[in-house]
Amino acid sequence: MNYKTIIIILILFISCKQNKPEIKSEHISSDNTVIINKEYTEIIKQNNEFKLSCAKPENYNHVKLTDKILHLEIVEPINYEVNKIEQLNGYYKVLLKNEQFYYKVTNVDDKLGVTYWENISNNKTNEDLSFYAIENLKLKSASLKKEDCSSDENNSSLDSNSQNNIPQEWDGDYYLKIKVESIQSDDQIDMAYFININKNNAILSISCTNPNEIYCEGEYSLSQKDEFIHLIHTGETGICTSNIEDSSFDIKKEGTQYYIRSKRFIDYEWHKLNKK
């Protein structure tokens, strides 16, 4: 092989090396947040900001996850047996034994230690049972603001001019039996509501075959809103959801007939309410 041939081969080699397409390795994001063996407190997101709910601290909803048990106090304290926890691309999948749903846990704020617990049932998100939560160890240092409980977003505006001015004609005992969606499944179940209104406040009692389905019993404040009165759980008694709108009722009167509506019901429509 002569000198010219060697030069040609070297030029071709260098040219091929320079023209070879660069293969970049694809970066696959991974959620490195360890979610087990931690305790959490449910929080809310209002106006793109994480906040504490309007409930009193002793009534905050709590979560604890181990490799064996998922403990929830979102509505009623209940323990679910963990089948397995899968770490997938960007989230954890918490599968529960003998349940039709699972939780998809996503880290949404590393600094604050906030995760979103998305309840998935039949490949659909159940927003009523999904929530944001913050690690208890980071809760104090996070210095979260309190939820604006008077915002229209929560349908909880209590006009001082409308409070404590409920006409006496509203006083009495009310009764309703209606179907609601189970908090433990997608089934519809029968629920009986007993409401006593007396001197500008109300007491709610609930009857159901499964006591784990009962929540938000206790005292409610009243306010006048146009043609109806609005009942809001005060948080003083009973275990209740932190979402004020979901735990409220509206009652109106047309002629001699009373009607009630609530987001707890299957539909947000007016239903006949019996008054004793």
Side-chain angles (χ1 to χ4, degrees):
M1 184 180 291
N2 58 34
Y3 178 76
K4 288 184 178 181
T5 302
I6 294 174
I7 294 297
I8 292 172
I9 291 174
L10 287 173
I11 292 173
L12 290 173
F13 175 77
I14 294 172
S15 176
C16 289
K17 187 175 181 180
Q18 288 178 339
N19 293 329
K20 185 177 179 179
E22 181 182 359
I23 300 175
K24 295 182 179 179
S25 60
E26 182 180 1
H27 174 69
I28 300 175
S29 62
S30 175
D31 183 2
N32 295 319
T33 305
V34 178
I35 63 171
I36 64 172
N37 298 324
K38 289 185 178 181
E39 296 185 8
Y40 304 84
T41 296
E42 183 188 1
I43 57 177
I44 61 98
K45 190 173 185 180
Q46 186 180 58
N47 299 326
N48 293 319
E49 184 179 359
F50 294 113
K51 298 181 180 181
L52 297 171
S53 75
C54 291
K56 292 186 175 181
E58 59 267 27
N59 291 326
Y60 286 164
N61 298 320
H62 297 284
V63 181
K64 184 177 181 179
L65 177 66
T66 70
D67 58 347
K68 294 181 173 56
I69 295 293
L70 171 62
H71 175 77
L72 295 179
E73 294 179 17
I74 304 304
V75 176
E76 287 281 344
I78 187 169
N79 287 328
Y80 294 102
E81 190 175 356
V82 173
N83 185 21
K84 63 178 178 178
I85 301 175
E86 298 178 352
Q87 184 175 358
L88 302 174
N89 186 20
Y91 66 91
Y92 284 90
K93 189 174 183 179
V94 182
L95 299 166
L96 307 171
K97 291 184 179 179
N98 305 317
E99 299 296 338
Q100 300 296 319
F101 65 90
Y102 66 88
Y103 273 98
K104 176 182 176 182
V105 184
T106 307
N107 180 40
V108 295
D109 194 309
D110 279 319
K111 185 177 180 180
L112 289 178
V114 176
T115 47
Y116 181 62
W117 297 64
E118 184 179 2
N119 184 290
I120 308 292
S121 178
N122 296 324
N123 296 320
K124 295 180 180 179
T125 300
N126 186 335
E127 294 185 359
D128 291 337
L129 296 179
S130 300
F131 55 90
Y132 291 98
I134 186 171
E135 295 176 31
N136 284 1
L137 291 177
K138 296 185 177 182
L139 179 57
K140 187 175 181 180
S141 60
S143 300
L144 299 181
K145 298 177 182 177
K146 197 89 167 181
E147 175 186 7
D148 181 5
C149 303
S150 63
S151 70
D152 292 335
E153 178 182 335
N154 288 314
N155 196 27
S156 59
S157 177
L158 296 179
D159 187 343
S160 60
N161 293 326
S162 66
Q163 282 185 287
N164 301 320
N165 288 310
I166 306 301
Q168 191 173 0
E169 64 177 314
W170 289 101
D171 289 359
D173 294 306
Y174 300 81
Y175 166 78
L176 171 74
K177 186 174 182 180
I178 193 170
K179 287 189 177 297
V180 301
E181 185 175 297
S182 167
I183 62 173
Q184 298 178 323
S185 69
D186 288 331
D187 298 334
Q188 294 184 13
I189 59 174
D190 290 322
M191 192 81 77
Y193 293 90
F194 303 88
I195 302 173
N196 173 261
I197 296 178
N198 183 27
K199 295 181 180 179
N200 299 310
N201 74 345
I203 302 296
L204 171 67
S205 300
I206 301 175
S207 176
C208 180
T209 55
N210 183 357
N212 288 328
E213 298 284 354
I214 297 175
Y215 65 102
C216 292
E217 286 188 306
E219 186 174 347
Y220 282 69
S221 63
L222 304 179
S223 61
Q224 186 80 42
K225 287 186 173 287
D226 299 324
E227 80 282 6
F228 61 87
I229 58 172
H230 189 54
L231 286 69
I232 299 176
H233 190 261
T234 63
E236 298 291 340
T237 57
I239 298 172
C240 191
T241 173
S242 61
N243 190 318
I244 293 178
E245 186 176 357
D246 287 346
S247 60
S248 65
F249 295 89
D250 295 326
I251 298 178
K252 72 176 181 177
K253 182 180 180 182
E254 293 183 355
T256 59
Q257 179 62 57
Y258 292 87
Y259 297 88
I260 188 172
R261 70 179 179 184
S262 173
K263 289 196 173 183
R264 292 197 213 173
F265 305 156
I266 296 298
D267 54 51
Y268 190 51
E269 302 291 338
W270 291 103
H271 295 271
K272 286 186 177 180
L273 181 65
N274 300 303
K275 184 179 181 182
K276 295 180 181 180

